[in-house]
Amino acid sequence: MRTFIYLLIGILFGITMFKSEAASWFRIYEMFQMQSFHMYGIIGSAVGLGVVITYLIKRFKIKSAYGEEIKFIPKNKSVSRYLFGGIIFGLGWALAGACPGPMFTLVGAGFAPILIVIVFAVLGTFLYGIVRDKLPH
């Protein structure tokens, strides 16, 4: 039953992404050209909502759907790793015209060429898993 609920949530997320034009290559292009606030508004709203939800989870000790405690593990805050990772992510986003969420939304909307991007995103994730321990911290 949970799998069905997760599927419905994913479909709702995809519809929201598509209808809000967050999966639109044109909207992403506008954002990178600094021509429109549309995508910055969506991203800013998501970040703001994430901050509020994280605060509420910590404040009220909200448990996961499985009844387990949700733990927030502090991360290494090395500026260079986030700068380098952000540049790679941004270049991929600009070249593909989609970040991970909208990639799957575009498949669901019938844009088959995005499957090439998904294949290489999965390949890149796999390669990162192989070299992760060898990268500087």
Side-chain angles (χ1 to χ4, degrees), residues 1-2 7 24 26 34 39 47 58 65 67 72 86 90 97 101 106 121 126 132:
M1 185 63 181
R2 280 190 182 165
L7 180 65
S24 165
F26 178 73
M34 304 291 187
M39 288 298 293
V47 169
K58 288 179 176 181
F72 294 92
L106 292 170
F126 176 74
R132 178 179 170 193

Side-chain angles (χ1 to χ4, degrees), residues 86-108:
I87 288 169
I88 290 173
F89 183 85
L91 287 172
W93 191 7
L95 288 170
C99 65
M103 287 188 323
F104 295 100
T105 299
L106 292 170
V107 169

Side-chain angles (χ1 to χ4, degrees), residues 2-123:
R2 280 190 182 165
T3 303
F4 182 69
I5 292 170
Y6 295 150
L7 180 65
L8 289 178
I9 291 169
I11 291 170
L12 180 63
F13 177 71
I15 290 169
T16 302
M17 292 286 285
F18 194 76
K19 291 293 187 179
S20 69
E21 296 183 347
S24 165
W25 178 88
F26 178 73
R27 288 293 187 183
I28 293 167
Y29 178 77
E30 275 184 332
M31 177 184 71
F32 283 114
Q33 294 292 313
M34 304 291 187
Q35 295 175 344
S36 174
F37 179 77
H38 184 85
M39 288 298 293
Y40 294 111
I42 290 173
I43 293 168
S45 298
V47 169
L49 188 59
V51 167
V52 169
I53 290 172
T54 301
Y55 170 78
L56 292 173
I57 289 170
K58 288 179 176 181
R59 174 79 169 90
F60 296 108
K61 297 183 179 11
I62 297 172
K63 299 197 182 299
S64 73
Y66 300 106
E68 300 167 352
E69 178 186 349
I70 299 173
K71 296 179 184 176
F72 294 92
I73 301 167
K75 295 185 178 184
N76 178 351
K77 295 189 170 115
S78 166
V79 174
S80 62
R81 72 184 290 174
Y82 290 109
L83 185 63
F84 186 65
I87 288 169
I88 290 173
F89 183 85
L91 287 172
W93 191 7
L95 288 170
C99 65
M103 287 188 323
F104 295 100
T105 299
L106 292 170
V107 169
F111 294 96
I114 200 72
L115 288 170
I116 296 167
V117 175
I118 291 173
V119 166
F120 283 98
V122 170
L123 179 63

